[in-house]
mmCIF file of all heavy atoms in Angstrom:
data_model
loop_
_atom_site.group_PDB
_atom_site.id
_atom_site.type_symbol
_atom_site.label_atom_id
_atom_site.label_comp_id
_atom_site.label_asym_id
_atom_site.label_seq_id
_atom_site.Cartn_x
_atom_site.Cartn_y
_atom_site.Cartn_z
ATOM 1 N N PRO A 501 6.493 5.701 78.523
ATOM 2 C CA PRO A 501 5.242 5.489 79.253
ATOM 3 C C PRO A 501 5.275 4.330 80.232
ATOM 4 O O PRO A 501 4.334 4.162 81.012
ATOM 5 C CB PRO A 501 4.219 5.233 78.133
ATOM 6 C CG PRO A 501 5.027 4.732 76.983
ATOM 7 C CD PRO A 501 6.356 5.423 77.077
ATOM 8 N N ASP A 502 6.347 3.534 80.207
ATOM 9 C CA ASP A 502 6.453 2.405 81.136
ATOM 10 C C ASP A 502 7.530 2.701 82.169
ATOM 11 O O ASP A 502 8.728 2.518 81.902
ATOM 12 C CB ASP A 502 6.795 1.113 80.384
ATOM 13 C CG ASP A 502 5.642 0.643 79.518
ATOM 14 O OD1 ASP A 502 4.498 0.677 79.997
ATOM 15 O OD2 ASP A 502 5.890 0.246 78.370
ATOM 16 N N PRO A 503 7.151 3.150 83.366
ATOM 17 C CA PRO A 503 8.148 3.409 84.397
ATOM 18 C C PRO A 503 8.716 2.102 84.930
ATOM 19 O O PRO A 503 8.163 1.024 84.692
ATOM 20 C CB PRO A 503 7.357 4.148 85.469
ATOM 21 C CG PRO A 503 5.978 3.585 85.341
ATOM 22 C CD PRO A 503 5.783 3.353 83.863
ATOM 23 N N VAL A 504 9.795 2.193 85.664
ATOM 24 C CA VAL A 504 10.400 1.014 86.277
ATOM 25 C C VAL A 504 10.473 1.209 87.779
ATOM 26 O O VAL A 504 10.462 2.331 88.292
ATOM 27 C CB VAL A 504 11.800 0.733 85.699
ATOM 28 C CG1 VAL A 504 11.722 0.438 84.213
ATOM 29 C CG2 VAL A 504 12.749 1.897 85.969
ATOM 30 N N THR A 505 10.556 0.096 88.481
ATOM 31 C CA THR A 505 10.679 0.124 89.944
ATOM 32 C C THR A 505 12.141 0.240 90.314
ATOM 33 O O THR A 505 12.972 -0.573 89.875
ATOM 34 C CB THR A 505 10.079 -1.154 90.554
ATOM 35 O OG1 THR A 505 8.666 -1.168 90.304
ATOM 36 C CG2 THR A 505 10.319 -1.206 92.054
ATOM 37 N N ILE A 506 12.481 1.251 91.133
ATOM 38 C CA ILE A 506 13.872 1.436 91.546
ATOM 39 C C ILE A 506 14.043 1.324 93.060
ATOM 40 O O ILE A 506 15.125 1.567 93.581
ATOM 41 C CB ILE A 506 14.433 2.784 91.046
ATOM 42 C CG1 ILE A 506 13.642 3.969 91.606
ATOM 43 C CG2 ILE A 506 14.461 2.827 89.529
ATOM 44 C CD1 ILE A 506 14.280 5.320 91.292
ATOM 45 N N GLY A 507 12.973 0.937 93.760
ATOM 46 C CA GLY A 507 13.096 0.740 95.203
ATOM 47 C C GLY A 507 11.811 0.176 95.787
ATOM 48 O O GLY A 507 10.721 0.426 95.258
ATOM 49 N N THR A 508 11.930 -0.579 96.858
ATOM 50 C CA THR A 508 10.776 -1.122 97.565
ATOM 51 C C THR A 508 11.057 -1.125 99.057
ATOM 52 O O THR A 508 12.217 -1.151 99.490
ATOM 53 C CB THR A 508 10.456 -2.573 97.127
ATOM 54 O OG1 THR A 508 11.578 -3.416 97.449
ATOM 55 C CG2 THR A 508 10.170 -2.662 95.638
ATOM 56 N N LEU A 509 10.004 -1.097 99.847
ATOM 57 C CA LEU A 509 10.120 -1.316 101.286
ATOM 58 C C LEU A 509 8.760 -1.719 101.823
ATOM 59 O O LEU A 509 7.733 -1.551 101.162
ATOM 60 C CB LEU A 509 10.668 -0.090 102.025
ATOM 61 C CG LEU A 509 9.878 1.233 102.040
ATOM 62 C CD1 LEU A 509 8.721 1.210 103.033
ATOM 63 C CD2 LEU A 509 10.806 2.380 102.414
ATOM 64 N N THR A 510 8.752 -2.221 103.051
ATOM 65 C CA THR A 510 7.529 -2.597 103.739
ATOM 66 C C THR A 510 7.522 -1.962 105.118
ATOM 67 O O THR A 510 8.531 -2.001 105.837
ATOM 68 C CB THR A 510 7.407 -4.123 103.861
ATOM 69 O OG1 THR A 510 7.287 -4.689 102.558
ATOM 70 C CG2 THR A 510 6.181 -4.517 104.677
ATOM 71 N N LEU A 511 6.396 -1.352 105.473
ATOM 72 C CA LEU A 511 6.192 -0.764 106.797
ATOM 73 C C LEU A 511 5.182 -1.638 107.528
ATOM 74 O O LEU A 511 4.059 -1.816 107.061
ATOM 75 C CB LEU A 511 5.657 0.665 106.657
ATOM 76 C CG LEU A 511 5.286 1.410 107.938
ATOM 77 C CD1 LEU A 511 6.518 1.673 108.791
ATOM 78 C CD2 LEU A 511 4.584 2.728 107.605
ATOM 79 N N ASN A 512 5.584 -2.213 108.692
ATOM 80 C CA ASN A 512 4.644 -3.078 109.407
ATOM 81 C C ASN A 512 3.918 -2.321 110.505
ATOM 82 O O ASN A 512 4.174 -1.143 110.764
ATOM 83 C CB ASN A 512 5.352 -4.333 109.935
ATOM 84 C CG ASN A 512 6.406 -4.011 110.996
ATOM 85 O OD1 ASN A 512 6.327 -3.024 111.710
ATOM 86 N ND2 ASN A 512 7.409 -4.879 111.094
ATOM 87 N N ARG A 513 3.006 -3.014 111.166
ATOM 88 C CA ARG A 513 2.127 -2.350 112.125
ATOM 89 C C ARG A 513 2.871 -1.802 113.333
ATOM 90 O O ARG A 513 2.387 -0.884 114.002
ATOM 91 C CB ARG A 513 1.032 -3.323 112.599
ATOM 92 C CG ARG A 513 -0.045 -3.611 111.554
ATOM 93 C CD ARG A 513 -0.916 -2.383 111.299
ATOM 94 N NE ARG A 513 -1.629 -1.972 112.477
ATOM 95 C CZ ARG A 513 -2.788 -2.472 112.874
ATOM 96 N NH1 ARG A 513 -3.371 -3.424 112.155
ATOM 97 N NH2 ARG A 513 -3.385 -2.032 113.957
#
Side-chain angles (χ1 to χ4, degrees):
D502 291 316
V504 298
T505 295
I506 61 172
T508 62
L509 63 78
T510 295
L511 176 66
N512 65 27
R513 287 291 298 275

